[in-house]
Amino acid sequence: MSIRLTRWGHACIRLDRGTDRLVIDPGVFSDLPGALDGISAVLITHEHPDHVATEPVVEAVQGGLEVWAPPSVVDVLVSAGAPAERVHTVRGGDTITAGGFDVAVLGEWHALVHPDVPRVHNVGYLVAGVLHPGDAYIDPAGAHVDVLCAPLGAPWLKLGEVVDYVRHVQPARLVVVHDALLSAIGQGMAIGLLGRLGGAGEPVALDPGEGIDL
């Protein structure tokens, strides 16, 4: 059965396979009603608000949603009123089942912004060949990656490093994410560079609600 990958803005993607449904990183720059509609499981890479919108996610957990996230995110969500039994801690090396999908949890730390900015825990998720690295250059450790969610713009990001990351991962294709801080001109320049240099073909740029079949 094919999987539908839909992007809901910035770093938020959704995977649908029949009755299996999963969302990664529903943050404050995302279209949350579209992302969370009919969803029972959410994966969160790290605690920054562009990757987790605390109040809407807590409300969804109170309504029955289950969340998997690093310990710092779990603490924030439970403190904000999420039922602890539906918020699960994950660390790099874990394997879980969420929303009907088998998930490998990878990595540990957010990419460095500046030595004066404390680093937070960040994990990536490899789900059905789709790698979402959060805010880090997560190594898939030799696993095949069909789709890499490639970040375009962030305080921690240098585009040449993203090119090298794509070359290292060697995905079959790219879906661009993490672009809310860029102008349309900046997005176009970054996508063009990744397409020319990354070696994974023309990156797929999806507006909120648009998707591709895997």
Side-chain angles (χ1 to χ4, degrees):
M1 182 179 295
S2 66
I3 297 172
R4 183 72 173 174
L5 183 156
T6 309
R7 185 169 177 244
W8 287 101
H10 194 54
C12 182
I13 66 166
R14 171 171 170 158
L15 301 176
D16 287 83
R17 181 183 59 196
T19 59
D20 300 331
R21 301 183 182 95
L22 179 66
V23 166
I24 304 176
D25 279 2
V28 297
F29 300 149
S30 306
D31 181 337
L32 296 177
L36 298 177
D37 183 33
I39 286 292
S40 63
V42 163
L43 308 178
I44 297 169
T45 62
H46 66 286
E47 65 194 64
H48 291 157
D50 58 325
H51 293 258
V52 54
T54 299
E55 291 184 7
V57 170
V58 167
E59 183 177 347
V61 175
Q62 291 171 340
L65 183 81
E66 291 194 81
V67 172
W68 286 260
S72 57
V73 180
V74 170
D75 290 344
V76 168
L77 295 178
V78 172
S79 295
E85 65 273 13
R86 290 203 287 271
V87 184
H88 313 287
T89 298
V90 292
R91 295 177 173 83
D94 289 346
T95 56
I96 62 172
T97 300
F101 290 92
D102 294 329
V103 181
V105 185
L106 306 169
E108 184 177 7
W109 292 105
H110 192 287
L112 182 67
V113 176
H114 186 275
D116 290 347
V117 178
R119 297 173 77 184
V120 300
H121 287 285
N122 178 101
V123 296
Y125 298 102
L126 182 59
V127 188
V130 178
L131 176 59
H132 192 308
D135 282 3
Y137 301 119
I138 296 292
D139 190 339
H144 171 72
V145 176
D146 180 32
V147 176
L148 174 63
C149 298
L152 285 190
W156 53 271
L157 185 154
K158 180 178 179 181
L159 198 58
E161 294 175 348
V162 181
V163 169
D164 289 340
Y165 179 53
V166 172
R167 291 177 174 181
H168 173 71
V169 174
Q170 298 183 322
R173 49 188 160 169
L174 301 177
V175 168
V176 298
V177 296
H178 216 288
D179 57 0
L181 302 183
L182 298 180
S183 68
I185 293 173
Q187 291 174 12
M189 291 178 63
I191 290 170
L193 189 67
L194 284 181
R196 291 196 305 274
L197 301 179
E202 185 67 20
V204 178
L206 300 171
D207 288 331
E210 290 185 340
I212 58 173
D213 291 321
L214 309 181

